[in-house]
Amino acid sequence: MSSSDTTTSAPTSHPPVAERRPVPREHHGQAFTDDYDWLRDKESPEVIAHLEAENAYTAAVTEDQEPLRTAIFGEIKAHTVETDLSVPARKDDWWYFSRTEEGKQYGVQCRVRARDTGDAVADWTPPVIEPGVAVEDEQVILDGNAEAEGKPFFSLGGLAVSRDGNLMAYAVDHAGDERFTLRVRDLRTGEDLADEIPNVSYGVVFDRTGTRVFYTVPDESWRPYRILAHTLGTPNEQDQLLFQEDDPGMWSGFGLSADRTELIVSIGNSELAETRALDLPEGAGEPLGGLRVLVDRSLGLLHGVDPVTLDGRRHYVIVHDKDLATGADAPNNMVSLAARETVTDPRSWRTVVEHSATTKVDGAAVTATHLALSVRRQTTPRTLVMPLAGLGTDQQGRPVEPDFGEELYSCELAGAPYESPYLRLSYTSWVTPSQVLDWEMGAGEAGDLHLRRQVEVPGYDPEQYLVERWWAPAESTDRRVTIPLTVIRRKDTEWDGSNPCVVYGYGSYEVSMDPGLSVARLSLLDRGVVYVVAHVRGGGELGRTWYDHGKKLHKKNTFTDFVDATRFVAQSGWVDPDRIACMGGSAGGLLMGAVLNLAPELYRACVAQVPFVDALTSILDPDLPLSALEWEEWGNPITDPEVYRYMAEYTPYENVRAVDYPAVAAVTSLNDTRVLYVEPAKWVQLLRRTVTSDQSTPLAAGGSPIVLKTEMDGGHGGASGRYRAWEDRAWDYAFLLTALGASQRV
């Protein structure tokens, strides 16, 4: 084969050059030619050789960053208690917890027996267990290190224990492609049963008897669409199909009711949902009935349903986005209560929580005595609770929430065991290590908080850091719109306009960038970096409307918001406008690509992690993983000429300009099923041949190299294992810090 037929694998000091093999595309009268589509054949030795050549080039170009990467990895390690454990969580007759051990990549799932004394508070107070010290009768139920031994990748897609505590169902991925194999282990012997089901999706639960497991199967585009029941000891071919969703734009999933008497099946996308229920028989061998529709998709509601028993009668708590009694929209959701007998008639629903323009209700959970609501107010997630007694009547209690001393924090529901007097909360902030709290609801109107654990961060002093909320006007679209920014820095950072800055963003799928302490981020802050999170439209920080104004034909707002936020930060006096870098992953990687096309002059460097930079090509192919489901986020360019035109105007791969760009590191994984490796592989080739910036001078000397780093054994989240994750983050940060001239600690 001649050299013109393959990737040019010149010395590693020169970037690989992929041959141009034009593939024309025409939709709605618009034509585009893709020169690098051939790189999508991951089974081709030629493609693998190209990716390996790219990795070799990247290693050569960034070789001088190795000491900095080693230093950052060491800092992450030093700030981490490597031999540790989680707070035990009770389920039935056992306390379950996970251990980590120094030097080991994966957690170890363990349990100890619980006790029942008749004192609910005492019986649901977790036992004190020391890190690294085994307790009497402790049982290891799954050792991730043993499961991963000899495998290139390890991830769990679900784990469930039968009600009698004897069996454990678990789903394992050894490739990173999110295709799991379901197995069942007898915890009395430690041996796996003969039952094995390949190619399942996330999630697995047992029925009430422990003789059946429920699971989902994806279609060819990796959309979970079939829900099945497997009876242990029987051939997979005899598994009972409970539900199949044939609309390619709808997901399917399931969960158990809090009291585990019903299987709740959820079908939907980001704009519409349907909920069905299955009564679970009490006796082994009893046949399963059929699914009952609770809330039909024809109502046009985006909603969630939680079963609850009130005064001996079955009801359903429904969180939904429209007031069907008045026809008014409720974009931030309202909460209603419906009796089982009349749940299909929305006219019978009773309002529990009215719609609020300032508080978004994201979901609900129930215990035997209380209703918990996950809400978002002033950009941050919080947890409210109210008693079930009187719910939906004039005697209904008012919602209460814990009081914390910080302005920007996350307080999220981490567990709501049905019989427990406690709700388990997870609390953190941008500078506060994670805390596990048990909220005792029987103690006074607001309850009592019991601190069960605060993550220890050795060598960390939160008093050295400061968090501020800034608001940047959306200059590019509407100055009346202000973009919330979270700004994190060391307190000793001076306001002299000389500081380096990293701006991070995401802005899609109504996903919010919530407060949380990142140990890795300390390596940036301790080198004088001002770290900014731009909460742009398309995320969920300011409610549903904030999301709606950053999707479909409003998607460009996401990109211009990020640019406006960067300009606002550059003019703040805190940072050097010539020392700003940007970073984002997945849909945030699309954001990075779009921003570089809009305003490349604002940034010195960019790290784009698993970037969705060829969105239009992917969404035009409904056979690609999850593409049809993306239509609710971006629109359907196959059938809608306006959507096609709009996406063609912003999709990064089709809008690269012949101007100076910053240094770019595109990071991807060969087995990623969500954002295919081919997108950044093609993007990097087009960037190199198009942009006018200096790509040959080293990054540390002011050059702007463009590199592609492919994890050959990883998935959407990169390589598996905590130490490899630390290495990945150290690589990303070293690239940015080198570009910003900020490799030294302050």
Side-chain angles (χ1 to χ4, degrees):
M1 185 176 289
S2 69
S3 60
S4 63
D5 294 326
T6 62
T7 296
T8 300
S9 54
T12 53
S13 59
H14 300 287
V17 179
E19 183 188 0
R20 301 187 196 182
R21 301 177 187 175
V23 174
R25 182 189 79 207
E26 184 170 345
H27 286 269
H28 309 299
Q30 296 190 49
F32 175 74
T33 299
D34 188 346
D35 288 335
Y36 303 111
D37 188 72
W38 65 273
L39 290 172
R40 74 173 54 254
D41 182 6
K42 66 181 288 189
E43 303 302 323
S44 165
E46 187 180 5
V47 171
I48 296 300
H50 172 77
L51 297 177
E52 290 173 342
E54 288 279 16
N55 280 348
Y57 172 71
T58 297
V61 167
T62 64
E63 183 179 11
D64 62 324
Q65 298 167 29
E66 180 58 31
L68 181 54
R69 292 197 288 263
T70 300
I72 295 172
F73 179 89
E75 291 160 13
I76 297 171
K77 194 171 187 290
H79 284 311
T80 303
V81 177
E82 296 176 73
T83 298
D84 207 351
L85 79 163
S86 64
V87 177
R90 182 168 178 175
K91 182 180 180 183
D92 299 313
D93 297 327
W94 297 85
W95 288 100
Y96 293 86
F97 57 99
S98 63
R99 291 187 181 271
T100 56
E101 298 180 31
E102 183 175 357
K104 295 188 176 181
Q105 293 274 16
Y106 303 98
V108 179
Q109 307 302 317
C110 308
R111 68 179 184 177
V112 295
R113 284 275 182 186
R115 62 174 186 169
D116 286 308
T117 66
D119 181 343
V121 171
D123 293 345
W124 285 89
T125 298
V128 177
I129 301 175
E130 297 297 326
V133 180
V135 298
E136 185 179 0
D137 298 326
E138 179 177 339
Q139 180 184 9
V140 173
I141 62 173
L142 190 142
D143 183 343
N145 302 287
E147 299 293 334
E149 188 172 354
K151 306 293 194 304
F153 187 91
F154 170 73
S155 178
L156 282 175
L159 187 150
V161 178
S162 60
R163 200 155 191 172
D164 61 11
N166 292 333
L167 300 175
M168 176 184 70
Y170 65 106
V172 178
D173 170 17
H174 284 305
D177 58 4
E178 299 179 82
R179 289 166 167 80
F180 300 92
T181 297
L182 175 61
R183 298 186 176 96
V184 179
R185 179 166 298 172
D186 189 330
L187 296 178
R188 294 163 295 188
T189 66
E191 299 295 326
D192 284 351
L193 305 182
D195 304 78
E196 183 175 300
I197 307 172
N199 294 319
V200 305
S201 192
Y202 288 95
V204 56
V205 298
F206 279 97
D207 70 354
R208 299 170 75 179
T209 69
T211 61
R212 295 187 186 94
V213 289
F214 300 103
Y215 64 96
T216 59
V217 171
D219 63 11
E220 291 300 316
S221 68
W222 204 235
R223 173 185 65 98
Y225 82 119
R226 305 180 84 207
I227 298 175
L228 295 100
H230 172 74
T231 299
L232 300 182
T234 65
N236 299 347
E237 294 77 16
Q238 296 179 11
D239 290 357
Q240 181 178 348
L241 178 64
L242 299 177
F243 178 77
Q244 178 169 313
E245 176 54 54
D246 293 324
D247 184 338
M250 302 282 274
W251 290 78
S252 298
F254 60 80
L256 290 176
S257 61
D259 60 7
R260 291 181 281 179
T261 63
E262 291 182 76
L263 186 77
I264 304 300
V265 173
S266 302
I267 310 107
N269 53 41
S270 65
E271 298 186 339
L272 178 70
E274 178 172 287
T275 302
R276 302 185 181 200
L278 173 69
D279 294 319
L280 298 177
E282 294 186 56
E286 293 184 32
L288 295 174
L291 294 175
R292 296 177 286 110
V293 174
L294 301 181
V295 182
D296 195 272
R297 69 188 71 186
S298 63
L299 295 175
L301 293 178
L302 191 62
H303 68 274
V305 176
D306 286 272
V308 62
T309 299
L310 300 174
D311 298 325
R313 292 182 59 206
R314 199 62 162 175
H315 290 74
Y316 296 96
V317 174
I318 306 169
V319 178
H320 54 102
D321 68 344
K322 184 178 290 186
D323 187 340
L324 294 179
T326 65
D329 288 335
N332 281 345
N333 292 333
M334 55 190 296
V335 183
S336 296
L337 183 68
R340 173 175 174 139
E341 298 80 10
T342 57
V343 63
T344 57
D345 182 4
R347 294 171 298 181
S348 71
W349 298 0
R350 289 172 282 165
T351 299
V352 172
V353 177
E354 298 277 359
H355 176 260
S356 168
T358 58
T359 300
K360 168 83 183 299
V361 181
D362 286 324
V366 299
T367 71
T369 58
H370 286 83
L371 168 66
L373 299 175
S374 297
V375 306
R376 182 174 299 277
R377 184 186 305 132
Q378 298 172 348
T379 76
T380 60
R382 305 164 184 229
T383 301
L384 309 182
V385 70
M386 52 201 304
L388 291 181
L391 195 71
T393 72
D394 293 340
Q395 286 73 47
Q396 174 178 296
R398 66 180 185 87
V400 297
E401 66 176 304
D403 183 27
F404 299 104
E406 296 180 272
E407 175 191 3
L408 302 177
Y409 65 85
S410 294
C411 176
E412 298 186 278
L413 189 65
Y418 186 70
E419 305 90 350
S420 176
Y422 298 115
L423 291 176
R424 179 152 291 179
L425 305 178
S426 174
Y427 176 86
T428 187
S429 79
W430 298 106
V431 295
T432 302
S434 295
Q435 298 176 358
V436 175
L437 303 162
D438 277 346
W439 192 8
E440 184 182 354
M441 294 314 305
E445 183 181 12
D448 282 343
L449 288 176
H450 301 269
L451 177 63
R452 303 304 189 196
R453 178 177 188 262
Q454 178 159 352
V455 171
E456 182 182 354
V457 183
Y460 170 66
D461 179 6
E463 294 302 318
Q464 295 182 7
Y465 305 89
L466 183 68
V467 181
E468 296 177 323
R469 169 54 45 83
W470 296 359
W471 296 87
E475 300 277 3
S476 300
T477 53
D478 186 347
R479 280 190 56 85
R480 294 170 298 179
V481 175
T482 52
I483 307 151
L485 310 179
T486 298
V487 183
I488 314 167
R489 58 179 172 84
R490 287 179 60 94
K491 286 184 178 178
D492 56 9
T493 301
E494 296 186 6
W495 187 23
D496 60 6
S498 68
N499 301 298
C501 175
V502 172
V503 187
Y504 180 85
Y506 187 78
S508 291
Y509 304 108
E510 203 176 356
V511 173
S512 300
M513 299 295 101
D514 289 330
L517 175 68
S518 164
V519 166
R521 190 170 58 230
L522 297 177
S523 293
L524 296 179
L525 300 176
D526 289 344
R527 287 171 172 81
V529 170
V530 176
Y531 191 90
V532 178
V533 180
H535 303 281
V536 296
R537 281 176 283 185
E541 287 89 344
L542 293 176
R544 180 73 184 193
T545 301
W546 193 250
Y547 166 55
D548 286 338
H549 288 176
K551 66 181 294 193
K552 291 190 174 179
L553 296 179
H554 301 289
K555 189 64 206 171
K556 291 179 186 178
N557 288 335
T558 303
F559 316 137
T560 57
D561 280 1
F562 194 90
V563 169
D564 290 340
T566 303
R567 289 197 171 110
F568 184 81
V569 171
Q571 298 165 8
S572 68
W574 280 103
V575 308
D576 182 344
D578 294 326
R579 300 178 74 198
I580 299 176
C582 58
M583 185 175 182
S586 194
L590 183 153
L591 171 62
M592 295 300 100
V595 162
L596 295 190
N597 291 338
L598 285 174
E601 72 280 359
L602 292 179
Y603 306 99
R604 172 67 186 97
C606 170
V607 170
Q609 302 159 314
V610 289
F612 190 35
V613 285
D614 192 20
L616 183 54
T617 298
S618 293
I619 295 173
L620 282 169
D621 186 350
D623 294 327
L624 287 179
L626 307 178
S627 284
L629 292 165
E630 299 287 355
W631 296 337
E632 300 305 324
E633 182 73 17
W634 316 94
N636 186 346
I638 299 173
T639 60
D640 191 328
E642 185 178 9
V643 170
Y644 184 95
R645 174 197 58 78
Y646 189 80
M647 291 191 69
E649 290 174 355
Y650 72 70
T651 194
Y653 182 58
E654 300 183 23
N655 290 280
V656 176
R657 297 190 287 140
V659 299
D660 284 354
Y661 273 53
V664 176
V667 181
T668 187
S669 294
L670 182 64
N671 294 324
D672 190 346
T673 55
R674 295 173 183 260
V675 179
L676 302 184
Y677 73 90
V678 68
E679 298 197 25
K682 295 194 305 182
W683 182 52
V684 162
Q685 288 295 311
L686 189 62
L687 283 170
R688 286 191 188 133
R689 91 179 200 206
T690 305
V691 304
T692 59
S693 42
D694 177 7
Q695 300 177 48
S696 59
T697 299
L699 183 64
S704 298
I706 298 170
V707 298
L708 173 69
K709 176 173 171 278
T710 303
E711 172 56 58
M712 304 303 283
D713 293 314
H716 192 60
S720 64
R722 57 175 176 162
Y723 293 109
R724 294 191 66 182
W726 297 354
E727 291 170 353
D728 288 345
R729 187 48 50 91
W731 195 97
D732 296 342
Y733 283 177
F735 186 89
L736 295 179
L737 289 167
T738 299
L740 296 175
S743 60
Q744 300 300 314
R745 291 170 62 90
V746 296

